[in-house]
Amino acid sequence: MRYGHFDDHRREYVTTRPDTPLPWINYLGSEATFGLISNTTGGYSFYRDARLRRLTRYRYNNVPLDCSGRYIYLRDNDTGEFWSPSWQPTRHEVEDYICRHGLGYTIIGSSYKGIEAQTRYFVPLGDSLEIWQLTLTNQRQEPASLSVFSSIEFCLWDAQDDATNFQRNFNIGEVEIEDGVIYHKTEYRERRNHLAFFACSEELAGFDTQRDVFLGPYRGWDHPAAVERGRSFNSEAHGWAPMGSHHVRLSLDPGQTRRIIFLLGYHENPPDRKFAPPGSQTVNKQTVKPVIARYLGEENVEAAFEALRAQWEAMLGIFQVETPNVHTNRMVNIWNPYQCMVTFNLSRSASFFESGIGRGIGFRDSNQDLLGSVHTVPERARQRILDLAATQLETGGAYHQYQPLTKRGNDEVGGDFNDDPLWLILSVAAYLKESGDWSILDERVAYDRRPGSETPLYEHLQRSLRYTLERLGPHGLPLIGRADWNDCLNLNTFSDTPGESFQTVATKEGKVAESLFIAGLFVLAAKELAAIARRRCLAEEAQRYHDEAAKMAAAVLEHGWDGEWFLRAYDAFGHKVGSQECEEGQIFIEPQGICVMAGIGHEDSRAKRALTAVRERLSTPHGIILHQPAYSRYYVHLGEISSYPPGYKENAGIFCHTNPWIMIAEAIIGHGDQAHDYYLRINPSAREEISEVHRCEPYVYAQMIAGRDAPTHGEAKNSWLTGTAAWNYVAITQWILGIRPTYEGLQIAPVIPSNWPGFKARRVYRGVTYYVSVKRVGKGDMVSLSVDGQPIEGDIVPLPPEGQTEVMVEATLK
Ligand code: BGC
Ligand code: NOJ
């Protein structure tokens, strides 16, 4: 069953009924001001940091679902009837309801009794505000007398404090209302120098800024007193819950259309110019007023929307494909890179499942997210790498997360995830291959942001490898620490206290438990660093990394092969995890993917056998499961993994992030059919038809799909902010379609399904546009290239001479 459809031409997902299984959301903004917006306008806005600078309030896990947002109410002044064009919060009967989620904007609207209303929401480039453009049309035969009410609830900035510290917060709310603009200035009198504003393009009939006056006692957003009586109260908030609402009265002739603009924004004043006149407590509005004036102008708003559209056009234009498969095209050309940018911007901070409070920018997460966006925003990727590296510690270890606003490591989140530092090498390698900008390695970057501790970035990478080498266990395999990629495989935690967080509780010394996943990742990273060292003419060092990689690979083969697949780990007692010997958790997906990707087990049949075992034991029609059998009870020596009921999350869920590792591994061993088959199983567009089962948005990946052991097998959770986005993008574009940046040029090595006649791609790479046409003439993956009509040796297209901006590549697959 579907709840809408894709409009590929407009690059939108169109939801045609509002009662989707879960709120289907989109993101506004890509620089500083962000918003989450659901298909019924639920959600909230924030500036840079969803915890520390939250503009509007949102109640997670609320009843009814998703009920705080950017609400507009319409009221027929003749009959007193009122409704919301976005269905929520009044949930009246809707006609022609539609939500178009597009790239950085959302349009929501419906009709009711001949009044058509549509609002387009977006954040313009370069400024810190949300624009809501409401278009109203009277389709009745007679004139309509209408009232429009806007409404948002201000959050008192720190979302954590806002949701907990009521004894203080009910006293501090402050607003100013000037020329119809509502300014939210709580705590501005003291240490803040920022404020929020909510403006409207029309002359106001009234306003409200005190929530409980606007709503009336014991009423919800579905029935505000002001809207019901058709007149604002002109309330001024002093303490309690400041909100913003404008009331506009208008008459529309039959057939007439009117546009109204609302602006919800964030503004900072210099600390010494906060007040005007100086010495007063009145907000200085000198610099904010021009911003408001600009965007209240219809033409400026249209120009801003056009600029946003053009930016996405350019960003997506970097890689476009035409394959025989519609779900592949749609995801590669539109939604997957879009989701990659959202994960790049927000890491794991704010979604419908991430509260914006608990998690900031993840070290391992953001290094991986970058793999899917480095070609889209290379300059921003460069800065991100430097920011991440600056939270590395002198030991080479890393803070697991940092706050986006301060860029400082977040101490409240546990550390000692021993895989963390290695991901930095992968992101830097990806950046170098994409951009050719070797200067980044010489950038001086501090440790723990401590002034005076700076070394070249290259040394950060060296320390990352050393961090693993200095932490090897009894089998010469990497010690796992608190956990590796699988946050929940807590082999040193031994937690028996209810409620204790596995992510932060102190761990045992951890001198025994080893991770095969980190071993595979180390081999991958050591090979990457060797390749970098070689190109920096550090031949000896490169050789050393090669040797270390070989030594680790040998240890994996000696102590990490279980007979038909790679082991997962050794626990704190030196017992195997992920082995036929185990009662539960006999085989895990992660080491099969990462070891094959790292080139381990290719000399004999082991790589192939590991992947066969995955196919036989872990794959389902809904994707590949994390491990089998699921843990049926809690094991104190395994930790959080066994805390989940079977089939959910890390306990044998389909943890989508890991599936592309298997796709890549299958592609590496030449199984194009299998790789693409796995690709389609979790491809959201390919799952659109079963939306009632999948339940999350059909246009973006979710972190998890319930596994075979769960009663809700096939149901997705935790959509949007997941490493699944970047890794699927890498798997399909670089390994299945096979278009890969390398140090020497663009590699074309497709491993596509055997029944595809070929495909076409357009890739902008280091300023040159490559038009790639792949034709299949045989069943295999042997590729011959001709470049601008001339056959070349190998599968890497060399960079063209200076000045040439277009290259035609013909690839033949035999
Ligand atoms: C989840 C993980 C997550 C971790 C850190 C765990 O409860 O299962 O997926 O990475 O928390 O927030
Ligand atoms: C989600 C986390 O964000 C990610 O870092 C981790 O690898 C996975 N969960 C698996 O536990």
Side-chain angles (χ1 to χ4, degrees), residues 359 487-488 503 640 644 649-650 655 703:
R359 309 214 285 157
D487 278 326
C488 299
Q503 309 293 317
E640 187 168 4
Y644 287 110
K649 291 278 286 184
E650 280 88 345
F655 217 95
Q703 180 200 62

Side-chain angles (χ1 to χ4, degrees), residues 348 354 358-359 364-365 400-401 413 417 485-488 501-503 640-641 643-644 648-651 655 703 718:
R348 302 296 169 269
E354 300 282 8
R359 309 214 285 157
R364 113 162 43 98
D365 294 325
H400 199 48
Q401 267 158 34
V413 183
F417 295 86
W485 171 88
N486 190 330
D487 278 326
C488 299
S501 164
F502 293 95
Q503 309 293 317
E640 187 168 4
I641 192 169
S643 73
Y644 287 110
Y648 294 105
K649 291 278 286 184
E650 280 88 345
N651 188 11
F655 217 95
Q703 180 200 62
N718 204 354

Side-chain angles (χ1 to χ4, degrees), residues 458-510:
Y458 184 70
E459 189 172 329
H460 284 253
L461 305 186
Q462 294 171 312
R463 291 192 194 195
S464 293
L465 271 198
R466 211 184 308 143
Y467 181 85
T468 303
L469 291 174
E470 286 170 357
R471 287 166 184 74
L472 297 180
H475 300 92
L477 296 166
L479 292 172
I480 195 168
R482 176 181 296 281
D484 59 22
W485 171 88
N486 190 330
D487 278 326
C488 299
L489 189 60
N490 311 124
L491 303 181
N492 294 307
T493 300
F494 291 87
S495 172
D496 54 10
T497 306
E500 198 166 60
S501 164
F502 293 95
Q503 309 293 317
T504 51
V505 65
T507 56
K508 300 275 173 302
E509 222 187 335

Side-chain angles (χ1 to χ4, degrees), residues 40 100 142 159 317 485 584 607 617 629 664 706 811:
T40 59
R100 292 179 168 272
E142 60 283 342
W485 171 88
E584 302 186 310
R617 290 166 187 261
I664 296 171

Side-chain angles (χ1 to χ4, degrees), residues 729-778:
Y729 192 75
V730 170
I732 184 72
T733 60
Q734 298 193 19
W735 296 94
I736 299 176
L737 301 176
I739 302 184
R740 276 201 290 284
T742 72
Y743 296 110
E744 279 71 42
L746 202 58
Q747 188 169 20
I748 315 288
V751 186
I752 53 176
S754 51
N755 64 1
W756 280 17
F759 68 91
K760 286 196 164 55
R762 177 179 176 278
R763 172 68 150 95
V764 181
Y765 175 62
R766 302 203 192 173
V768 177
T769 306
Y770 293 79
Y771 294 93
V772 182
S773 164
V774 176
K775 283 208 182 59
R776 191 181 258 311
V777 298

